[in-house]
Every structure is written in C-alpha cells, then in structure tokens.
Amino acid sequence: EIFVDGKKANIANPIVATELGIGIVYQELSNFMHLDVASNVLSHGLPQRHGMIKYDEMYKKAREILDNIGLSHISEKDTMSNLSLGAQQMCEIAGIISKNADIVILDEPTSALDPEMVQEVLDVMIELAQENITMICVTHEMGFARQVADRVIFMDDGRILEQGSPEHFFENPENPRCRDFLAKILH
C-alpha cells in the first residue's frame, strides 16, 4: 500500500493515482503504437489537463521534455511502432514527466528490454533521480539501486525482509534471505 499525504493511493487506477500526483510506468507499456512520439509523451499529461493543444506547440513541448531527459536522439515526430522497445519505454517515462508528477512509480522498467537497451533506460531514470524526483522503483538492477537509491527495500513473498540505506543493504544485510540473494547476484 502507498499513502500520499495520508491518502491511500490506488495505483491500479491511473486516474486516482494522477489526482494524487503519482505517475506510473508499468511493465506493460501503455503507448499508442499508431501515434507519434509527441502524442504519446503528451497524452500522459497536457491534452487531458489543458484541452487539445496545437500540433506545433505539442511537438515543441515534447521536444523540450525529450531533450531535458537526454532523449534528443528520439524524434518527436516518429511513430511509436518504429522505435525499439527501449526507446518506447523511455518515451513512456517522458510521458510521466509531462504530468509533473510528484512521485514516479516504475515497475521493472527494464525487464522486457534487450540488454543493450537497459543502460539507456537506466540513464533516463538516473536523470530523474538527479532532478530530485521521488521514485519508487521495483528492480532487479542492483547496480542501479546502489547508485541511485536513498533507501533500499528487499521484499520476498510480499513481505519486507530488509530495508535501509544502500550502504547497509549491500554491505551489511541482516536478513539471511537477503544475504543469499546478494551473494548470488553480486558475484
């Protein structure tokens, strides 16, 4: 369960989540494959909030968002279906940014990616972290977690087994299941 300002956030309902200032990037992408990048990036925010905007304004705003998070290599006018899965995922993250969300939840954002694309998506997420955007990220990318996290929570079978700073989690975990997990993946 996630609570924001004392209100339970129903993250299964994107409308409720958005009202609480939460942007969510699910494992399964929600891009509209037949539309261009700008339409997808901004469909997560501006058109619904402010009514339809003119195409030239839409492309300019999408370009600004893409450039600000290091995605200048993605054309705002390209069709989503022409992009790699990693580029689609980065556009999904850009769409969440267009909402100006206070909290971004990322559910295994690299799980379905080709290994060559993983770092590109992680770089976008690192940019978010450097902008002090609050992120809750479910990930198996331990190097990323170690580099970016303020707090690491290790869960198994729906239970929290270990939590603390990255230093504590990676260097001195107390829970045997956590120690076993780290021994398997870090060596």
Side-chain angles (χ1 to χ4, degrees), residues 16-72:
V16 172
T18 299
E19 288 173 357
L20 290 173
I22 299 172
I24 304 170
V25 178
Y26 298 98
Q27 281 184 21
E28 297 293 323
L29 298 176
S30 62
N31 292 319
F32 300 103
M33 300 305 287
H34 63 290
L35 296 177
D36 60 29
V37 169
S39 298
N40 274 279
V41 167
L42 298 179
S43 72
H44 291 277
L46 290 176
Q48 289 99 335
R49 288 188 184 171
H50 306 293
M52 292 307 294
I53 59 176
K54 295 178 183 173
Y55 276 101
D56 58 336
E57 292 174 29
M58 180 177 77
Y59 287 122
K60 182 179 176 185
K61 181 64 179 173
R63 177 78 272 141
E64 180 182 310
I65 292 167
L66 293 169
D67 288 346
N68 283 346
I69 61 170
L71 301 178
S72 57

Side-chain angles (χ1 to χ4, degrees), residues 17-165:
T18 299
E19 288 173 357
L20 290 173
I22 299 172
I24 304 170
V25 178
Y26 298 98
Q27 281 184 21
E28 297 293 323
L29 298 176
S30 62
N31 292 319
F32 300 103
M33 300 305 287
H34 63 290
L35 296 177
D36 60 29
V37 169
S39 298
N40 274 279
V41 167
L42 298 179
S43 72
H44 291 277
L46 290 176
Q48 289 99 335
R49 288 188 184 171
H50 306 293
M52 292 307 294
I53 59 176
K54 295 178 183 173
Y55 276 101
D56 58 336
E57 292 174 29
M58 180 177 77
Y59 287 122
K60 182 179 176 185
K61 181 64 179 173
R63 177 78 272 141
E64 180 182 310
I65 292 167
L66 293 169
D67 288 346
N68 283 346
I69 61 170
L71 301 178
S72 57
H73 63 285
I74 295 176
S75 171
E76 69 278 8
K77 296 182 180 181
D78 207 351
T79 304
M80 291 299 294
S81 60
N82 291 337
L83 300 180
S84 69
L85 190 58
Q88 291 173 31
Q89 185 70 296
M90 290 185 284
C91 289
E92 182 105 0
I93 294 168
I96 295 303
I97 292 168
S98 78
K99 285 181 165 183
N100 295 318
D102 298 317
I103 299 168
V104 177
I105 299 174
L106 301 122
D107 181 14
E108 287 285 358
T110 60
S111 65
L113 300 181
D114 183 331
E116 294 177 340
M117 291 302 301
V118 168
Q119 191 58 52
E120 287 187 44
V121 172
L122 292 177
D123 288 345
V124 170
M125 294 165 55
I126 290 167
E127 286 280 327
L128 292 178
Q130 290 171 343
E131 293 179 22
N132 292 321
I133 293 176
T134 300
M135 292 188 295
I136 299 171
C137 183
V138 178
T139 187
H140 289 96
E141 298 290 338
M142 293 298 102
F144 168 76
R146 187 176 218 160
Q147 177 184 359
V148 175
D150 294 320
R151 182 171 166 203
V152 177
I153 299 173
F154 180 80
M155 297 181 71
D156 187 31
D157 200 25
R159 294 185 333 247
I160 295 174
L161 299 183
E162 185 91 36
Q163 62 181 312
S165 70

